[in-house]
Amino acid sequence: MILKVDFVSETPIYEQLKNQVVEGIAYGLLKEGEQLPSVRQMAVDIGINMHTVGKAYSILRNEGYLIIHKRSGVIVNNLSKIKDRSFLKKIPSLMKPIVTEAYCKGITEEEFLDKCKDIFQSILKGKK
Amino acid sequence: MESNYAYLTVYFSIIIGLFIICYYIPFLNRETIIFGIRIPVEEIKNQLVEQLKRHYKHTYMAVMIPYIILFEVASFGLYSRLILLFGIVLQVIIAMYLYVLFNHKMMVVKNSFKEKSQENIEQAVFIDTNFREGKYLVSVAWFIPSLIIIVLSALIIAMNYDKIPSIIATRFDAVGKAVQFSPKTDFAVYLMQIISFVALAMFAGIYYAIKRSKQQISSNYPEKAKQQDRRFRYIWSGYIVILSFIFTLYLAIISFKIDQIIDFSNSFFLMLNVAFPIIILFGTIFLAIKTGQSGSRIKVHTNEPEIKLKVADDNVYWKLGLFYYNPEDPSLFIPKRMGIGWTLNFGHPVSFILLIVLVALPFVFKLMGKH
């Protein structure tokens, strides 16, 4: 999978990495059991501090997306193990800034939900 | 006299080889890197850039050809190795000076682009998480033949140790006439094996650098760039292995000559001393021009769609377009900006240790030889 890192983006680099790995797993660009580069190798390839990559990887590990072995390296976790229904509880607080911003900008509820649906559909389309 | 002709043949090959490769060096990298300066992809056909390239070619010819002719005329008849070596070093310095000059000119041209491309501010790189998957280097096991030669030649010397005379020659001219002698010590007897071993470690280090150094796929066609970079690494890792083998073999032959185990004919020795450096020199130049830096000249076909990418401006890290200094980057080895191959990140503390070791090595050998 090709990752893009933007050095002048408002989104911190570790978050860019984290988001893209999650996206990659959702869209099936990263398969379960697939190996990712080591912290050092990824930091070398991007040309950034190793802590930045380490931070992204440790968040992804804590959230169940990755398994980090000392020996076999960084591996995408089983999709069944990534599943975690309790995430539903976090959604309101995660979505609130986006929904309120959309409201202020004059986006209707229907339009907003349509956009959400489009994203869900594009993920599901890739699966079949 | 024959020996002098041999030196001159090698010498002129080096002069011509350098002349060719230095001419090409600025054009071996990706088309978005001109004279060591990264420019936006939409500017590669810019008139100012084209003009500067032409200007470089003319300047190179106008400076180099008179220099070479003048130096040869001035040094004609002087078969001093020191003077000839000085001529080669001076040629390299002039070429480097031209790069630095045009690197500077290119920076000025690049800065003039700035106002035009303000709308999409992005400074990004691409990396492929599968870049190092599968075969992209020849197997490291190909170094084993070199190792076998070192061990085998050392064993042959050990078995014939008693037959080695008490004074041995340590240096020869091109036809194999001894010009320097040393008493028989273990160090002198096995010196070629020791050098071979150090050289093997160095070749293995280069192999490691080829394996680990930063991937170069940030372009509008990342898949194409990836395939080029991987092939480039495959070809050069193979070349390093072959080079290591040839060099080890050469030193083993020299060691047999030193220890008088095999008496080689003069013509064989002459051929060896002329053919080896010339083959390696032109082999390297041929490969460099064929592959280009990071495989930029290797033909690859992909059907990927173009992805617009504003590649991060890393020009500030490239001092004079030659030296990379970025303490934030954990890379030790980095693909060269001008020329073919890899260089050190001088912002990495280990780079200085490595540099000191490389510079100190010949002196260590000299000192050890005295004791």
Side-chain angles (χ1 to χ4, degrees), chain A residues 1-8 30 34-37 40-50, chain B residues 121-130 132 212-215 217 222 309 312 326 328-331:
Chain A
M1 182 203 182
I2 287 176
L3 302 180
K4 179 179 172 181
V5 175
D6 186 353
F7 293 105
V8 292
L30 292 173
E34 186 172 330
Q35 184 135 20
L36 290 179
R40 167 171 278 279
Q41 188 63 67
M42 192 182 269
V44 161
D45 281 338
I46 304 172
I48 52 171
N49 201 300
M50 285 198 281
Chain B
I121 22 169
E122 169 183 275
Q123 298 257 327
V125 297
F126 280 146
I127 64 154
D128 191 323
T129 57
N130 301 319
R132 288 177 181 76
R212 287 286 164 219
S213 70
K214 198 188 291 297
Q215 48 174 281
I217 67 160
L309 177 78
N326 182 3
E328 278 295 300
D329 189 340
S331 306

mmCIF file of all heavy atoms in Angstrom, chain A residues 1-8 30 34-37 40-50, chain B residues 121-130 132 212-215 217 222 309 312 326 328-331:
data_model
loop_
_atom_site.group_PDB
_atom_site.id
_atom_site.type_symbol
_atom_site.label_atom_id
_atom_site.label_comp_id
_atom_site.label_asym_id
_atom_site.label_seq_id
_atom_site.Cartn_x
_atom_site.Cartn_y
_atom_site.Cartn_z
ATOM 1 N N MET A 1 0.842 -1.194 0.000
ATOM 2 C CA MET A 1 0.000 0.000 0.000
ATOM 3 C C MET A 1 0.878 1.245 0.000
ATOM 4 O O MET A 1 1.885 1.296 0.697
ATOM 5 C CB MET A 1 -0.872 0.001 1.265
ATOM 6 C CG MET A 1 -1.816 1.177 1.318
ATOM 7 S SD MET A 1 -2.337 1.557 3.003
ATOM 8 C CE MET A 1 -3.454 2.915 2.668
ATOM 9 N N ILE A 2 0.443 2.234 -0.791
ATOM 10 C CA ILE A 2 1.217 3.477 -0.840
ATOM 11 C C ILE A 2 0.684 4.461 0.195
ATOM 12 O O ILE A 2 -0.503 4.742 0.251
ATOM 13 C CB ILE A 2 1.184 4.072 -2.259
ATOM 14 C CG1 ILE A 2 2.075 3.218 -3.171
ATOM 15 C CG2 ILE A 2 1.672 5.516 -2.252
ATOM 16 C CD1 ILE A 2 2.081 3.609 -4.606
ATOM 17 N N LEU A 3 1.561 4.940 1.062
ATOM 18 C CA LEU A 3 1.199 5.927 2.079
ATOM 19 C C LEU A 3 1.721 7.284 1.620
ATOM 20 O O LEU A 3 2.781 7.378 1.017
ATOM 21 C CB LEU A 3 1.837 5.589 3.424
ATOM 22 C CG LEU A 3 1.534 4.233 4.052
ATOM 23 C CD1 LEU A 3 2.275 4.107 5.376
ATOM 24 C CD2 LEU A 3 0.041 4.049 4.276
ATOM 25 N N LYS A 4 0.938 8.300 1.959
ATOM 26 C CA LYS A 4 1.370 9.653 1.614
ATOM 27 C C LYS A 4 1.531 10.442 2.903
ATOM 28 O O LYS A 4 0.648 10.439 3.748
ATOM 29 C CB LYS A 4 0.305 10.292 0.728
ATOM 30 C CG LYS A 4 0.608 11.705 0.322
ATOM 31 C CD LYS A 4 -0.532 12.182 -0.564
ATOM 32 C CE LYS A 4 -0.429 13.652 -0.859
ATOM 33 N NZ LYS A 4 -1.562 14.067 -1.706
ATOM 34 N N VAL A 5 2.661 11.085 3.043
ATOM 35 C CA VAL A 5 2.895 11.899 4.230
ATOM 36 C C VAL A 5 3.098 13.338 3.781
ATOM 37 O O VAL A 5 3.962 13.622 2.959
ATOM 38 C CB VAL A 5 4.152 11.413 4.994
ATOM 39 C CG1 VAL A 5 4.451 12.335 6.162
ATOM 40 C CG2 VAL A 5 3.952 9.994 5.468
ATOM 41 N N ASP A 6 2.253 14.219 4.313
ATOM 42 C CA ASP A 6 2.368 15.640 3.968
ATOM 43 C C ASP A 6 2.995 16.378 5.146
ATOM 44 O O ASP A 6 2.436 16.413 6.237
ATOM 45 C CB ASP A 6 0.978 16.199 3.642
ATOM 46 C CG ASP A 6 1.045 17.632 3.128
ATOM 47 O OD1 ASP A 6 2.147 18.225 3.164
ATOM 48 O OD2 ASP A 6 0.000 18.148 2.688
ATOM 49 N N PHE A 7 4.152 16.977 4.897
ATOM 50 C CA PHE A 7 4.897 17.603 5.992
ATOM 51 C C PHE A 7 4.312 18.936 6.440
ATOM 52 O O PHE A 7 4.625 19.403 7.528
ATOM 53 C CB PHE A 7 6.364 17.818 5.573
ATOM 54 C CG PHE A 7 7.107 16.525 5.377
ATOM 55 C CD1 PHE A 7 7.407 16.064 4.116
ATOM 56 C CD2 PHE A 7 7.482 15.764 6.474
ATOM 57 C CE1 PHE A 7 8.076 14.864 3.942
ATOM 58 C CE2 PHE A 7 8.149 14.579 6.308
ATOM 59 C CZ PHE A 7 8.446 14.120 5.031
ATOM 60 N N VAL A 8 3.496 19.566 5.599
ATOM 61 C CA VAL A 8 2.953 20.866 5.987
ATOM 62 C C VAL A 8 1.461 20.801 6.315
ATOM 63 O O VAL A 8 0.827 21.813 6.538
ATOM 64 C CB VAL A 8 3.216 21.954 4.897
ATOM 65 C CG1 VAL A 8 4.692 22.257 4.806
ATOM 66 C CG2 VAL A 8 2.653 21.534 3.558
ATOM 67 N N LEU A 30 -4.657 -3.280 2.824
ATOM 68 C CA LEU A 30 -3.786 -4.019 3.732
ATOM 69 C C LEU A 30 -4.552 -5.257 4.175
ATOM 70 O O LEU A 30 -5.617 -5.151 4.775
ATOM 71 C CB LEU A 30 -3.407 -3.159 4.946
ATOM 72 C CG LEU A 30 -2.498 -1.958 4.704
ATOM 73 C CD1 LEU A 30 -2.368 -1.126 5.963
ATOM 74 C CD2 LEU A 30 -1.128 -2.399 4.210
ATOM 75 N N GLU A 34 -0.597 -9.188 6.764
ATOM 76 C CA GLU A 34 0.387 -8.500 5.919
ATOM 77 C C GLU A 34 1.407 -7.766 6.785
ATOM 78 O O GLU A 34 1.077 -7.200 7.823
ATOM 79 C CB GLU A 34 -0.322 -7.506 4.996
ATOM 80 C CG GLU A 34 0.619 -6.873 3.988
ATOM 81 C CD GLU A 34 -0.111 -6.024 2.944
ATOM 82 O OE1 GLU A 34 -1.278 -6.324 2.616
ATOM 83 O OE2 GLU A 34 0.502 -5.052 2.453
ATOM 84 N N GLN A 35 2.641 -7.801 6.315
ATOM 85 C CA GLN A 35 3.723 -7.174 7.080
ATOM 86 C C GLN A 35 3.857 -5.699 6.719
ATOM 87 O O GLN A 35 3.775 -5.315 5.560
ATOM 88 C CB GLN A 35 5.029 -7.899 6.772
ATOM 89 C CG GLN A 35 6.185 -7.395 7.592
ATOM 90 C CD GLN A 35 7.011 -8.533 8.162
ATOM 91 O OE1 GLN A 35 6.950 -9.654 7.665
ATOM 92 N NE2 GLN A 35 7.766 -8.261 9.199
ATOM 93 N N LEU A 36 4.078 -4.882 7.745
ATOM 94 C CA LEU A 36 4.400 -3.472 7.528
ATOM 95 C C LEU A 36 5.880 -3.271 7.844
ATOM 96 O O LEU A 36 6.467 -4.070 8.567
ATOM 97 C CB LEU A 36 3.534 -2.588 8.427
ATOM 98 C CG LEU A 36 2.047 -2.518 8.083
ATOM 99 C CD1 LEU A 36 1.318 -1.624 9.075
ATOM 100 C CD2 LEU A 36 1.835 -1.987 6.674
ATOM 101 N N PRO A 37 6.476 -2.202 7.313
ATOM 102 C CA PRO A 37 7.897 -1.975 7.615
ATOM 103 C C PRO A 37 8.115 -1.762 9.115
ATOM 104 O O PRO A 37 7.200 -1.325 9.812
ATOM 105 C CB PRO A 37 8.225 -0.690 6.847
ATOM 106 C CG PRO A 37 7.120 -0.482 5.891
ATOM 107 C CD PRO A 37 5.922 -1.153 6.438
ATOM 108 N N ARG A 40 11.965 1.625 12.358
ATOM 109 C CA ARG A 40 13.176 2.250 11.818
ATOM 110 C C ARG A 40 13.098 2.404 10.302
ATOM 111 O O ARG A 40 13.377 3.465 9.743
ATOM 112 C CB ARG A 40 14.407 1.409 12.195
ATOM 113 C CG ARG A 40 15.665 1.772 11.433
ATOM 114 C CD ARG A 40 16.869 1.076 12.008
ATOM 115 N NE ARG A 40 17.380 1.798 13.160
ATOM 116 C CZ ARG A 40 18.161 2.865 13.074
ATOM 117 N NH1 ARG A 40 18.519 3.351 11.899
ATOM 118 N NH2 ARG A 40 18.594 3.471 14.150
ATOM 119 N N GLN A 41 12.686 1.302 9.625
ATOM 120 C CA GLN A 41 12.661 1.332 8.166
ATOM 121 C C GLN A 41 11.672 2.381 7.659
ATOM 122 O O GLN A 41 11.962 3.106 6.710
ATOM 123 C CB GLN A 41 12.294 -0.051 7.618
ATOM 124 C CG GLN A 41 12.442 -0.168 6.121
ATOM 125 C CD GLN A 41 13.883 0.029 5.661
ATOM 126 O OE1 GLN A 41 14.753 -0.779 5.953
ATOM 127 N NE2 GLN A 41 14.150 1.125 4.956
ATOM 128 N N MET A 42 10.498 2.450 8.289
ATOM 129 C CA MET A 42 9.511 3.432 7.826
ATOM 130 C C MET A 42 10.016 4.851 8.072
ATOM 131 O O MET A 42 9.850 5.740 7.226
ATOM 132 C CB MET A 42 8.158 3.214 8.486
ATOM 133 C CG MET A 42 7.063 4.024 7.800
ATOM 134 S SD MET A 42 5.444 3.862 8.542
ATOM 135 C CE MET A 42 4.759 2.510 7.618
ATOM 136 N N ALA A 43 10.659 5.061 9.225
ATOM 137 C CA ALA A 43 11.195 6.387 9.533
ATOM 138 C C ALA A 43 12.279 6.783 8.531
ATOM 139 O O ALA A 43 12.340 7.928 8.085
ATOM 140 C CB ALA A 43 11.742 6.409 10.952
ATOM 141 N N VAL A 44 13.109 5.797 8.150
ATOM 142 C CA VAL A 44 14.158 6.040 7.148
ATOM 143 C C VAL A 44 13.537 6.396 5.798
ATOM 144 O O VAL A 44 13.947 7.348 5.141
ATOM 145 C CB VAL A 44 15.076 4.794 7.020
ATOM 146 C CG1 VAL A 44 15.845 4.818 5.718
ATOM 147 C CG2 VAL A 44 16.033 4.723 8.202
ATOM 148 N N ASP A 45 12.523 5.632 5.401
ATOM 149 C CA ASP A 45 11.912 5.858 4.086
ATOM 150 C C ASP A 45 11.241 7.226 3.999
ATOM 151 O O ASP A 45 11.291 7.888 2.971
ATOM 152 C CB ASP A 45 10.898 4.754 3.769
ATOM 153 C CG ASP A 45 11.587 3.475 3.299
ATOM 154 O OD1 ASP A 45 12.734 3.569 2.833
ATOM 155 O OD2 ASP A 45 10.981 2.397 3.397
ATOM 156 N N ILE A 46 10.584 7.625 5.108
ATOM 157 C CA ILE A 46 9.912 8.930 5.083
ATOM 158 C C ILE A 46 10.921 10.043 5.376
ATOM 159 O O ILE A 46 10.773 11.161 4.888
ATOM 160 C CB ILE A 46 8.754 8.971 6.111
ATOM 161 C CG1 ILE A 46 7.771 7.820 5.862
ATOM 162 C CG2 ILE A 46 7.997 10.292 6.019
ATOM 163 C CD1 ILE A 46 6.721 7.661 6.931
ATOM 164 N N GLY A 47 11.936 9.711 6.174
ATOM 165 C CA GLY A 47 12.920 10.738 6.561
ATOM 166 C C GLY A 47 12.464 11.520 7.773
ATOM 167 O O GLY A 47 12.655 12.732 7.838
ATOM 168 N N ILE A 48 11.811 10.840 8.728
ATOM 169 C CA ILE A 48 11.337 11.513 9.944
ATOM 170 C C ILE A 48 11.847 10.785 11.176
ATOM 171 O O ILE A 48 12.359 9.669 11.088
ATOM 172 C CB ILE A 48 9.782 11.556 10.001
ATOM 173 C CG1 ILE A 48 9.192 10.148 9.784
ATOM 174 C CG2 ILE A 48 9.237 12.548 8.989
ATOM 175 C CD1 ILE A 48 7.715 10.054 10.026
ATOM 176 N N ASN A 49 11.674 11.422 12.311
ATOM 177 C CA ASN A 49 12.065 10.861 13.591
ATOM 178 C C ASN A 49 11.356 9.523 13.840
ATOM 179 O O ASN A 49 10.180 9.374 13.529
ATOM 180 C CB ASN A 49 11.664 11.855 14.673
ATOM 181 C CG ASN A 49 12.441 11.637 15.929
ATOM 182 O OD1 ASN A 49 12.371 10.563 16.520
ATOM 183 N ND2 ASN A 49 13.203 12.633 16.327
ATOM 184 N N MET A 50 12.111 8.590 14.432
ATOM 185 C CA MET A 50 11.527 7.266 14.681
ATOM 186 C C MET A 50 10.363 7.312 15.675
ATOM 187 O O MET A 50 9.463 6.493 15.619
ATOM 188 C CB MET A 50 12.612 6.319 15.175
ATOM 189 C CG MET A 50 13.542 5.876 14.070
ATOM 190 S SD MET A 50 14.457 4.418 14.514
ATOM 191 C CE MET A 50 15.710 5.125 15.536
ATOM 192 N N ILE B 121 -0.630 24.162 -1.743
ATOM 193 C CA ILE B 121 0.518 24.003 -0.862
ATOM 194 C C ILE B 121 0.473 22.634 -0.206
ATOM 195 O O ILE B 121 -0.382 22.318 0.607
ATOM 196 C CB ILE B 121 0.641 25.113 0.209
ATOM 197 C CG1 ILE B 121 -0.716 25.773 0.442
ATOM 198 C CG2 ILE B 121 1.711 26.123 -0.169
ATOM 199 C CD1 ILE B 121 -0.745 26.669 1.633
ATOM 200 N N GLU B 122 1.419 21.829 -0.575
ATOM 201 C CA GLU B 122 1.552 20.486 -0.049
ATOM 202 C C GLU B 122 3.033 20.173 -0.159
ATOM 203 O O GLU B 122 3.704 20.611 -1.085
ATOM 204 C CB GLU B 122 0.736 19.530 -0.915
ATOM 205 C CG GLU B 122 0.991 18.071 -0.643
ATOM 206 C CD GLU B 122 0.203 17.169 -1.591
ATOM 207 O OE1 GLU B 122 -0.968 16.891 -1.293
ATOM 208 O OE2 GLU B 122 0.751 16.753 -2.627
ATOM 209 N N GLN B 123 3.565 19.462 0.828
ATOM 210 C CA GLN B 123 4.973 19.046 0.799
ATOM 211 C C GLN B 123 4.951 17.597 1.218
ATOM 212 O O GLN B 123 5.000 17.304 2.399
ATOM 213 C CB GLN B 123 5.791 19.853 1.802
ATOM 214 C CG GLN B 123 5.839 21.327 1.544
ATOM 215 C CD GLN B 123 7.153 21.722 0.935
ATOM 216 O OE1 GLN B 123 8.194 21.143 1.214
ATOM 217 N NE2 GLN B 123 7.121 22.708 0.062
ATOM 218 N N ALA B 124 4.848 16.708 0.256
ATOM 219 C CA ALA B 124 4.550 15.339 0.631
ATOM 220 C C ALA B 124 5.553 14.341 0.070
ATOM 221 O O ALA B 124 6.307 14.658 -0.858
ATOM 222 C CB ALA B 124 3.148 14.978 0.156
ATOM 223 N N VAL B 125 5.573 13.164 0.649
ATOM 224 C CA VAL B 125 6.316 12.042 0.071
ATOM 225 C C VAL B 125 5.394 10.823 0.017
ATOM 226 O O VAL B 125 4.430 10.728 0.767
ATOM 227 C CB VAL B 125 7.585 11.666 0.887
ATOM 228 C CG1 VAL B 125 8.585 12.801 0.897
ATOM 229 C CG2 VAL B 125 7.239 11.238 2.293
ATOM 230 N N PHE B 126 5.693 9.943 -0.906
ATOM 231 C CA PHE B 126 5.036 8.638 -0.965
ATOM 232 C C PHE B 126 5.989 7.599 -0.425
ATOM 233 O O PHE B 126 7.199 7.669 -0.682
ATOM 234 C CB PHE B 126 4.745 8.249 -2.419
ATOM 235 C CG PHE B 126 3.518 8.886 -3.007
ATOM 236 C CD1 PHE B 126 3.496 9.223 -4.357
ATOM 237 C CD2 PHE B 126 2.394 9.091 -2.240
ATOM 238 C CE1 PHE B 126 2.364 9.791 -4.920
ATOM 239 C CE2 PHE B 126 1.254 9.653 -2.794
ATOM 240 C CZ PHE B 126 1.241 10.011 -4.138
ATOM 241 N N ILE B 127 5.450 6.620 0.295
ATOM 242 C CA ILE B 127 6.233 5.411 0.556
ATOM 243 C C ILE B 127 5.333 4.201 0.321
ATOM 244 O O ILE B 127 4.119 4.283 0.494
ATOM 245 C CB ILE B 127 6.824 5.338 1.994
ATOM 246 C CG1 ILE B 127 5.726 5.265 3.043
ATOM 247 C CG2 ILE B 127 7.760 6.489 2.269
ATOM 248 C CD1 ILE B 127 6.184 4.585 4.308
ATOM 249 N N ASP B 128 5.933 3.120 -0.105
ATOM 250 C CA ASP B 128 5.174 1.893 -0.323
ATOM 251 C C ASP B 128 5.526 0.920 0.789
ATOM 252 O O ASP B 128 6.698 0.611 0.999
ATOM 253 C CB ASP B 128 5.541 1.300 -1.688
ATOM 254 C CG ASP B 128 4.580 0.177 -2.076
ATOM 255 O OD1 ASP B 128 4.157 -0.579 -1.171
ATOM 256 O OD2 ASP B 128 4.256 0.065 -3.268
ATOM 257 N N THR B 129 4.480 0.448 1.499
ATOM 258 C CA THR B 129 4.753 -0.455 2.631
ATOM 259 C C THR B 129 5.292 -1.803 2.147
ATOM 260 O O THR B 129 5.863 -2.556 2.912
ATOM 261 C CB THR B 129 3.493 -0.689 3.481
ATOM 262 O OG1 THR B 129 2.465 -1.204 2.633
ATOM 263 C CG2 THR B 129 3.018 0.585 4.138
ATOM 264 N N ASN B 130 5.086 -2.103 0.844
ATOM 265 C CA ASN B 130 5.586 -3.383 0.303
ATOM 266 C C ASN B 130 6.863 -3.212 -0.502
ATOM 267 O O ASN B 130 7.238 -4.106 -1.262
ATOM 268 C CB ASN B 130 4.527 -4.022 -0.603
ATOM 269 C CG ASN B 130 3.253 -4.281 0.135
ATOM 270 O OD1 ASN B 130 3.269 -4.717 1.288
ATOM 271 N ND2 ASN B 130 2.129 -3.986 -0.489
ATOM 272 N N ARG B 132 9.941 -3.402 0.104
ATOM 273 C CA ARG B 132 11.020 -4.384 0.296
ATOM 274 C C ARG B 132 10.512 -5.819 0.288
ATOM 275 O O ARG B 132 11.208 -6.720 0.740
ATOM 276 C CB ARG B 132 11.784 -4.074 1.572
ATOM 277 C CG ARG B 132 12.639 -2.838 1.400
ATOM 278 C CD ARG B 132 13.376 -2.431 2.627
ATOM 279 N NE ARG B 132 14.146 -1.218 2.364
ATOM 280 C CZ ARG B 132 13.613 -0.006 2.294
ATOM 281 N NH1 ARG B 132 12.317 0.150 2.492
ATOM 282 N NH2 ARG B 132 14.359 1.031 2.012
ATOM 283 N N ARG B 212 18.890 -1.065 2.675
ATOM 284 C CA ARG B 212 18.146 -0.284 3.662
ATOM 285 C C ARG B 212 17.869 1.160 3.273
ATOM 286 O O ARG B 212 17.036 1.813 3.901
ATOM 287 C CB ARG B 212 18.910 -0.290 4.990
ATOM 288 C CG ARG B 212 18.849 -1.609 5.715
ATOM 289 C CD ARG B 212 17.495 -1.828 6.346
ATOM 290 N NE ARG B 212 17.316 -3.225 6.717
ATOM 291 C CZ ARG B 212 16.180 -3.893 6.588
ATOM 292 N NH1 ARG B 212 15.121 -3.295 6.091
ATOM 293 N NH2 ARG B 212 16.095 -5.150 6.946
ATOM 294 N N SER B 213 18.588 1.707 2.299
ATOM 295 C CA SER B 213 18.485 3.152 2.076
ATOM 296 C C SER B 213 17.079 3.548 1.614
ATOM 297 O O SER B 213 16.320 2.735 1.097
ATOM 298 C CB SER B 213 19.535 3.608 1.071
ATOM 299 O OG SER B 213 19.199 3.122 -0.200
ATOM 300 N N LYS B 214 16.789 4.784 1.816
ATOM 301 C CA LYS B 214 15.473 5.380 1.567
ATOM 302 C C LYS B 214 14.907 5.040 0.193
ATOM 303 O O LYS B 214 15.582 5.168 -0.801
ATOM 304 C CB LYS B 214 15.645 6.893 1.698
ATOM 305 C CG LYS B 214 14.389 7.690 1.891
ATOM 306 C CD LYS B 214 14.682 9.181 1.817
ATOM 307 C CE LYS B 214 15.487 9.696 2.988
ATOM 308 N NZ LYS B 214 14.812 9.580 4.279
ATOM 309 N N GLN B 215 13.636 4.622 0.166
ATOM 310 C CA GLN B 215 13.004 4.348 -1.132
ATOM 311 C C GLN B 215 12.695 5.657 -1.843
ATOM 312 O O GLN B 215 12.377 6.664 -1.212
ATOM 313 C CB GLN B 215 11.737 3.501 -0.959
ATOM 314 C CG GLN B 215 10.767 3.968 0.099
ATOM 315 C CD GLN B 215 9.483 3.151 0.106
ATOM 316 O OE1 GLN B 215 8.610 3.360 -0.715
ATOM 317 N NE2 GLN B 215 9.360 2.216 1.047
ATOM 318 N N ILE B 217 10.238 6.820 -4.361
ATOM 319 C CA ILE B 217 9.072 6.598 -5.222
ATOM 320 C C ILE B 217 8.163 7.815 -5.285
ATOM 321 O O ILE B 217 7.096 7.766 -5.873
ATOM 322 C CB ILE B 217 8.257 5.357 -4.771
ATOM 323 C CG1 ILE B 217 7.592 5.587 -3.414
ATOM 324 C CG2 ILE B 217 9.136 4.119 -4.725
ATOM 325 C CD1 ILE B 217 6.443 4.628 -3.177
ATOM 326 N N PRO B 222 4.123 6.602 -8.806
ATOM 327 C CA PRO B 222 4.906 5.907 -7.763
ATOM 328 C C PRO B 222 5.193 4.436 -8.072
ATOM 329 O O PRO B 222 6.261 3.943 -7.727
ATOM 330 C CB PRO B 222 4.040 6.056 -6.505
ATOM 331 C CG PRO B 222 2.678 6.418 -6.977
ATOM 332 C CD PRO B 222 2.848 7.127 -8.278
ATOM 333 N N LEU B 309 1.245 14.910 -7.202
ATOM 334 C CA LEU B 309 1.928 14.989 -5.915
ATOM 335 C C LEU B 309 2.910 16.142 -5.929
ATOM 336 O O LEU B 309 3.725 16.258 -6.833
ATOM 337 C CB LEU B 309 2.681 13.682 -5.625
ATOM 338 C CG LEU B 309 3.494 13.660 -4.341
ATOM 339 C CD1 LEU B 309 2.592 13.447 -3.138
ATOM 340 C CD2 LEU B 309 4.567 12.584 -4.377
ATOM 341 N N ALA B 312 7.843 16.925 -1.382
ATOM 342 C CA ALA B 312 8.420 17.782 -0.350
ATOM 343 C C ALA B 312 9.745 18.375 -0.810
ATOM 344 O O ALA B 312 10.583 17.680 -1.387
ATOM 345 C CB ALA B 312 8.625 16.981 0.929
ATOM 346 N N ASN B 326 20.757 16.119 7.627
ATOM 347 C CA ASN B 326 19.417 16.194 8.220
ATOM 348 C C ASN B 326 19.393 15.384 9.505
ATOM 349 O O ASN B 326 19.177 14.176 9.482
ATOM 350 C CB ASN B 326 18.376 15.673 7.225
ATOM 351 C CG ASN B 326 16.959 15.773 7.761
ATOM 352 O OD1 ASN B 326 16.740 16.293 8.862
ATOM 353 N ND2 ASN B 326 16.005 15.283 7.003
ATOM 354 N N GLU B 328 17.230 15.130 11.715
ATOM 355 C CA GLU B 328 15.918 14.551 12.013
ATOM 356 C C GLU B 328 15.719 13.201 11.324
ATOM 357 O O GLU B 328 14.880 12.407 11.718
ATOM 358 C CB GLU B 328 14.811 15.512 11.552
ATOM 359 C CG GLU B 328 14.517 16.628 12.523
ATOM 360 C CD GLU B 328 13.938 16.107 13.833
ATOM 361 O OE1 GLU B 328 12.878 15.485 13.785
ATOM 362 O OE2 GLU B 328 14.570 16.309 14.891
ATOM 363 N N ASP B 329 16.500 12.983 10.256
ATOM 364 C CA ASP B 329 16.329 11.774 9.451
ATOM 365 C C ASP B 329 17.187 10.650 10.037
ATOM 366 O O ASP B 329 18.400 10.800 10.160
ATOM 367 C CB ASP B 329 16.776 12.091 8.005
ATOM 368 C CG ASP B 329 16.439 10.968 7.043
ATOM 369 O OD1 ASP B 329 16.230 9.830 7.504
ATOM 370 O OD2 ASP B 329 16.391 11.232 5.830
ATOM 371 N N PRO B 330 16.562 9.529 10.436
ATOM 372 C CA PRO B 330 17.362 8.438 11.005
ATOM 373 C C PRO B 330 18.186 7.675 9.970
ATOM 374 O O PRO B 330 18.928 6.768 10.330
ATOM 375 C CB PRO B 330 16.308 7.529 11.646
ATOM 376 C CG PRO B 330 15.059 7.800 10.903
ATOM 377 C CD PRO B 330 15.121 9.217 10.425
ATOM 378 N N SER B 331 18.068 8.026 8.679
ATOM 379 C CA SER B 331 18.854 7.338 7.641
ATOM 380 C C SER B 331 20.328 7.582 7.843
ATOM 381 O O SER B 331 20.732 8.710 8.101
ATOM 382 C CB SER B 331 18.506 7.868 6.251
ATOM 383 O OG SER B 331 17.147 7.800 6.009
#
